[in-house]
Amino acid sequence: MSRLPLPVGITEDDLAAHLDAFSIETPSWGYADTGTRFGKFLQDAAATTIEEKFADAGHVHRLTGCCPSVAVHVRWDFPFTPEGALAGDVASLAASARAAAAAHGVRIGSINPNLFEDQCYKLGSVCNEDPDVRRRALDHLLTSVRLGAAAGSDLLSLWFADGTNYPGQGHLRRRAAWMREALARTHAAMPPRMSMLVEYKPFEPAFYHTDIADWGMAASFARAAGPRARVLVDTGHHLPGCNIEHLVAFLLDEGLLGGFHFNDRKYADDDLTMGSIDPYQLFRIFAEITSFRRERPAAPPVAYMIDQSHNIKPKVEAMIQTVATAQEHVLKSLLIDHAAADRARARGDVVMAEKAWRDAFAADVRPWLAEYRVRRGLPADPLRAHRDDGYEARAAAARGPKKRHAGRPGGYA
Ligand code: AFD
Ligand code: MN
Ligand code: MN
């Protein structure tokens, strides 16, 4: 096996066991055509149905071995009437989705309500001044709980676009009270095995304020909602300069970190490939997680999920790249010599304490990881295996004509 700089007390079997236990969820929406508000570049191979999304997710899982679950998006993956009601009964819709996932060797992971696309949500969903809109939003949340439970999901992942564009447009404290009420009622409706993740975002689509704008508000709302609510950290949802690994360490310590939506960002919520802009920040986030887990092994698990949907990269290639990057940085974080760092801290030796982080980050773990994969019966290089397999071309041949026949301009409508 390729050599790695193992800290005292850590063996290669420990690393392998950690990777065996590592899994990261891929998002259904990451396999479908999406874009920016300036348009989207359609891809022949992109999925258009939930079955195709599960097929792509199953392919990624077969090549990487660590993506057994798929996040589903209620309005994008289940049929709804124009009035916003579920088009069918929960049990049968959930059963068919569950069967479709299983047919491709994956299962449904988190359930993501959609309270940001219907026209009625123009001025907010659960924080809307109109009680009828708030009621409709709550109904959607409760439907999502039922749908998720029937589909075998134990994770309700909540992101609200609620916010305002101008000072004075909204009564900020009244809106917070409506948010607390909606979260508490949703939490009360969850079956015992389900937990709730409260996601935050400083802006977009609202440009003056977002009702859940940062990790502190999400933590406060989660605490108020109930004991099975925790915070979801989307790595693309922080203002420039934010020390994400610090808030991750704080939330872990408070027992409030429920999960991640991984992506990378240069400026904002860019949905760039995880680790593509600031890999050292990604490493530092995993460093805080593995440091915490080393000291508190019995702490509740943290859900690792990808939240990316690429506009110019081939969808499945970007997903495979992301999964491999996650494995690499988890592995690097396990190489930190925490005992040496502690000794250096105790004597005020800043340089040597920092060196424990820098040495682990500098380790090229890819050869070891490739050998680990082969020992698990997986391709050493999942991206190369995907390209050699010709999956993309087959998917494009099967899916492209359907899109073109839809009569979209430039080959698509
Ligand atoms: C958008 C939002 C948020 C949410 C995701 C899926 O910014 O990250 O989690 O859509 O609904 O990226
Ligand atoms: Mn997200
Ligand atoms: Mn986002």
Side-chain angles (χ1 to χ4, degrees), residues 24 33 77 106 117 133 143 232 243 261 271 288 296-297 322 325 337 347 373 391:
I24 187 166
D33 281 317
D77 294 324
V106 289
E117 280 182 325
V133 174
T143 299
L232 188 147
N243 185 327
H261 274 177
D271 273 15
E288 290 307 324
R296 303 257 291 276
T322 297
T325 300
D337 189 341
R347 61 176 189 272
R373 291 184 180 121
Y391 182 90

mmCIF file of all heavy atoms in Angstrom, residues 24 33 77 106 117 133 143 232 243 261 271 288 296-297 322 325 337 347 373 391:
data_model
loop_
_atom_site.group_PDB
_atom_site.id
_atom_site.type_symbol
_atom_site.label_atom_id
_atom_site.label_comp_id
_atom_site.label_asym_id
_atom_site.label_seq_id
_atom_site.Cartn_x
_atom_site.Cartn_y
_atom_site.Cartn_z
ATOM 1 N N ILE A 24 -21.915 9.929 1.515
ATOM 2 C CA ILE A 24 -22.337 11.292 1.192
ATOM 3 C C ILE A 24 -23.503 11.209 0.214
ATOM 4 O O ILE A 24 -23.471 10.427 -0.742
ATOM 5 C CB ILE A 24 -21.146 12.122 0.621
ATOM 6 C CG1 ILE A 24 -21.546 13.594 0.449
ATOM 7 C CG2 ILE A 24 -20.604 11.531 -0.674
ATOM 8 C CD1 ILE A 24 -20.333 14.519 0.223
ATOM 9 N N ASP A 33 -31.211 19.190 -15.580
ATOM 10 C CA ASP A 33 -30.812 20.492 -16.146
ATOM 11 C C ASP A 33 -31.239 21.619 -15.213
ATOM 12 O O ASP A 33 -32.408 21.733 -14.869
ATOM 13 C CB ASP A 33 -31.507 20.692 -17.507
ATOM 14 C CG ASP A 33 -30.818 19.914 -18.623
ATOM 15 O OD1 ASP A 33 -29.562 19.936 -18.654
ATOM 16 O OD2 ASP A 33 -31.524 19.289 -19.429
ATOM 17 N N ASP A 77 -39.584 16.300 -7.787
ATOM 18 C CA ASP A 77 -39.519 14.842 -7.941
ATOM 19 C C ASP A 77 -40.853 14.142 -7.749
ATOM 20 O O ASP A 77 -40.956 12.935 -7.962
ATOM 21 C CB ASP A 77 -38.491 14.266 -6.962
ATOM 22 C CG ASP A 77 -37.073 14.727 -7.292
ATOM 23 O OD1 ASP A 77 -36.767 14.854 -8.494
ATOM 24 O OD2 ASP A 77 -36.292 14.996 -6.364
ATOM 25 N N VAL A 106 -30.130 2.430 -4.881
ATOM 26 C CA VAL A 106 -30.030 3.541 -3.915
ATOM 27 C C VAL A 106 -31.340 3.648 -3.137
ATOM 28 O O VAL A 106 -32.296 2.912 -3.402
ATOM 29 C CB VAL A 106 -29.727 4.874 -4.635
ATOM 30 C CG1 VAL A 106 -28.308 4.896 -5.169
ATOM 31 C CG2 VAL A 106 -30.737 5.149 -5.755
ATOM 32 N N GLU A 117 -41.118 28.382 -5.241
ATOM 33 C CA GLU A 117 -41.386 28.536 -6.679
ATOM 34 C C GLU A 117 -42.817 28.927 -7.000
ATOM 35 O O GLU A 117 -43.069 29.624 -7.989
ATOM 36 C CB GLU A 117 -41.034 27.248 -7.435
ATOM 37 C CG GLU A 117 -39.549 27.112 -7.706
ATOM 38 C CD GLU A 117 -39.225 25.860 -8.500
ATOM 39 O OE1 GLU A 117 -39.905 24.838 -8.288
ATOM 40 O OE2 GLU A 117 -38.311 25.906 -9.332
ATOM 41 N N VAL A 133 -51.575 32.129 2.705
ATOM 42 C CA VAL A 133 -50.317 31.655 2.114
ATOM 43 C C VAL A 133 -49.506 30.912 3.166
ATOM 44 O O VAL A 133 -48.935 29.843 2.898
ATOM 45 C CB VAL A 133 -49.498 32.829 1.524
ATOM 46 C CG1 VAL A 133 -48.131 32.341 1.056
ATOM 47 C CG2 VAL A 133 -50.254 33.501 0.389
ATOM 48 N N THR A 143 -47.260 17.889 4.216
ATOM 49 C CA THR A 143 -47.305 16.886 3.137
ATOM 50 C C THR A 143 -45.920 16.293 2.919
ATOM 51 O O THR A 143 -45.756 15.085 2.739
ATOM 52 C CB THR A 143 -47.799 17.541 1.832
ATOM 53 O OG1 THR A 143 -49.109 18.057 2.036
ATOM 54 C CG2 THR A 143 -47.817 16.550 0.673
ATOM 55 N N LEU A 232 -28.425 22.892 9.377
ATOM 56 C CA LEU A 232 -27.779 22.420 8.163
ATOM 57 C C LEU A 232 -26.852 23.521 7.655
ATOM 58 O O LEU A 232 -27.294 24.659 7.422
ATOM 59 C CB LEU A 232 -28.814 22.081 7.078
ATOM 60 C CG LEU A 232 -28.231 21.403 5.830
ATOM 61 C CD1 LEU A 232 -29.220 20.423 5.231
ATOM 62 C CD2 LEU A 232 -27.780 22.394 4.783
ATOM 63 N N ASN A 243 -15.608 32.406 8.869
ATOM 64 C CA ASN A 243 -14.778 31.269 9.290
ATOM 65 C C ASN A 243 -15.708 30.085 9.492
ATOM 66 O O ASN A 243 -16.226 29.862 10.600
ATOM 67 C CB ASN A 243 -14.032 31.621 10.585
ATOM 68 C CG ASN A 243 -13.064 30.514 10.997
ATOM 69 O OD1 ASN A 243 -13.333 29.333 10.752
ATOM 70 N ND2 ASN A 243 -11.945 30.886 11.589
ATOM 71 N N HIS A 261 -24.699 20.734 3.351
ATOM 72 C CA HIS A 261 -24.853 20.768 1.903
ATOM 73 C C HIS A 261 -23.497 21.242 1.373
ATOM 74 O O HIS A 261 -23.110 22.396 1.546
ATOM 75 C CB HIS A 261 -25.941 21.758 1.468
ATOM 76 C CG HIS A 261 -27.301 21.165 1.460
ATOM 77 N ND1 HIS A 261 -28.425 21.893 1.166
ATOM 78 C CD2 HIS A 261 -27.740 19.901 1.680
ATOM 79 C CE1 HIS A 261 -29.491 21.114 1.208
ATOM 80 N NE2 HIS A 261 -29.115 19.903 1.520
ATOM 81 N N ASP A 271 -22.692 27.220 -6.152
ATOM 82 C CA ASP A 271 -22.820 25.774 -6.456
ATOM 83 C C ASP A 271 -21.624 25.247 -7.233
ATOM 84 O O ASP A 271 -21.779 24.371 -8.098
ATOM 85 C CB ASP A 271 -24.100 25.504 -7.276
ATOM 86 C CG ASP A 271 -25.307 25.284 -6.361
ATOM 87 O OD1 ASP A 271 -25.207 25.625 -5.172
ATOM 88 O OD2 ASP A 271 -26.327 24.746 -6.833
ATOM 89 N N GLU A 288 -12.212 19.850 11.873
ATOM 90 C CA GLU A 288 -12.997 20.096 13.091
ATOM 91 C C GLU A 288 -13.942 18.919 13.372
ATOM 92 O O GLU A 288 -14.144 18.531 14.514
ATOM 93 C CB GLU A 288 -13.804 21.390 12.956
ATOM 94 C CG GLU A 288 -12.953 22.656 12.961
ATOM 95 C CD GLU A 288 -12.023 22.726 14.163
ATOM 96 O OE1 GLU A 288 -12.410 22.286 15.277
ATOM 97 O OE2 GLU A 288 -10.884 23.207 13.984
ATOM 98 N N ARG A 296 -15.480 12.832 20.895
ATOM 99 C CA ARG A 296 -16.878 12.515 21.272
ATOM 100 C C ARG A 296 -17.424 11.459 20.293
ATOM 101 O O ARG A 296 -18.314 11.730 19.497
ATOM 102 C CB ARG A 296 -17.721 13.787 21.218
ATOM 103 C CG ARG A 296 -17.184 14.915 22.121
ATOM 104 C CD ARG A 296 -17.956 15.062 23.389
ATOM 105 N NE ARG A 296 -19.293 15.574 23.134
ATOM 106 C CZ ARG A 296 -19.589 16.879 22.993
ATOM 107 N NH1 ARG A 296 -18.630 17.772 23.049
ATOM 108 N NH2 ARG A 296 -20.818 17.264 22.773
ATOM 109 N N PRO A 297 -16.873 10.257 20.281
ATOM 110 C CA PRO A 297 -17.265 9.248 19.275
ATOM 111 C C PRO A 297 -18.738 8.893 19.330
ATOM 112 O O PRO A 297 -19.306 8.444 18.331
ATOM 113 C CB PRO A 297 -16.383 8.046 19.602
ATOM 114 C CG PRO A 297 -15.896 8.261 20.992
ATOM 115 C CD PRO A 297 -15.855 9.739 21.216
ATOM 116 N N THR A 322 -16.907 15.412 -7.109
ATOM 117 C CA THR A 322 -17.250 15.909 -5.772
ATOM 118 C C THR A 322 -17.111 14.809 -4.735
ATOM 119 O O THR A 322 -16.519 15.004 -3.672
ATOM 120 C CB THR A 322 -18.685 16.458 -5.781
ATOM 121 O OG1 THR A 322 -18.753 17.569 -6.686
ATOM 122 C CG2 THR A 322 -19.118 16.904 -4.389
ATOM 123 N N THR A 325 -13.518 14.065 -4.092
ATOM 124 C CA THR A 325 -12.919 15.156 -3.319
ATOM 125 C C THR A 325 -13.288 15.040 -1.841
ATOM 126 O O THR A 325 -12.448 15.235 -0.961
ATOM 127 C CB THR A 325 -13.395 16.510 -3.872
ATOM 128 O OG1 THR A 325 -13.000 16.621 -5.239
ATOM 129 C CG2 THR A 325 -12.833 17.679 -3.063
ATOM 130 N N ASP A 337 -2.025 15.064 13.315
ATOM 131 C CA ASP A 337 -1.465 14.546 14.569
ATOM 132 C C ASP A 337 -1.964 15.439 15.713
ATOM 133 O O ASP A 337 -1.311 16.416 16.096
ATOM 134 C CB ASP A 337 0.067 14.558 14.476
ATOM 135 C CG ASP A 337 0.701 13.818 15.658
ATOM 136 O OD1 ASP A 337 -0.020 13.644 16.681
ATOM 137 O OD2 ASP A 337 1.878 13.430 15.560
ATOM 138 N N ARG A 347 2.889 24.321 24.850
ATOM 139 C CA ARG A 347 4.140 25.095 25.041
ATOM 140 C C ARG A 347 4.140 26.375 24.214
ATOM 141 O O ARG A 347 5.175 27.021 24.046
ATOM 142 C CB ARG A 347 5.353 24.227 24.697
ATOM 143 C CG ARG A 347 5.423 23.702 23.261
ATOM 144 C CD ARG A 347 6.714 22.910 22.971
ATOM 145 N NE ARG A 347 6.835 22.614 21.537
ATOM 146 C CZ ARG A 347 6.317 21.532 20.952
ATOM 147 N NH1 ARG A 347 5.652 20.634 21.685
ATOM 148 N NH2 ARG A 347 6.454 21.348 19.644
ATOM 149 N N ARG A 373 -9.832 1.661 -2.918
ATOM 150 C CA ARG A 373 -11.000 1.374 -3.756
ATOM 151 C C ARG A 373 -10.875 0.005 -4.438
ATOM 152 O O ARG A 373 -11.830 -0.782 -4.445
ATOM 153 C CB ARG A 373 -11.157 2.457 -4.820
ATOM 154 C CG ARG A 373 -11.566 3.812 -4.288
ATOM 155 C CD ARG A 373 -11.793 4.800 -5.426
ATOM 156 N NE ARG A 373 -12.188 6.130 -4.930
ATOM 157 C CZ ARG A 373 -11.496 7.223 -5.179
ATOM 158 N NH1 ARG A 373 -10.366 7.168 -5.907
ATOM 159 N NH2 ARG A 373 -11.899 8.392 -4.712
ATOM 160 N N TYR A 391 -21.290 5.694 -20.179
ATOM 161 C CA TYR A 391 -22.613 5.944 -19.578
ATOM 162 C C TYR A 391 -23.215 7.231 -20.118
ATOM 163 O O TYR A 391 -24.389 7.285 -20.495
ATOM 164 C CB TYR A 391 -22.484 6.023 -18.054
ATOM 165 C CG TYR A 391 -23.798 6.235 -17.333
ATOM 166 C CD1 TYR A 391 -24.555 5.138 -16.918
ATOM 167 C CD2 TYR A 391 -24.299 7.515 -17.078
ATOM 168 C CE1 TYR A 391 -25.773 5.327 -16.259
ATOM 169 C CE2 TYR A 391 -25.506 7.703 -16.422
ATOM 170 C CZ TYR A 391 -26.236 6.614 -16.023
ATOM 171 O OH TYR A 391 -27.461 6.796 -15.379
#
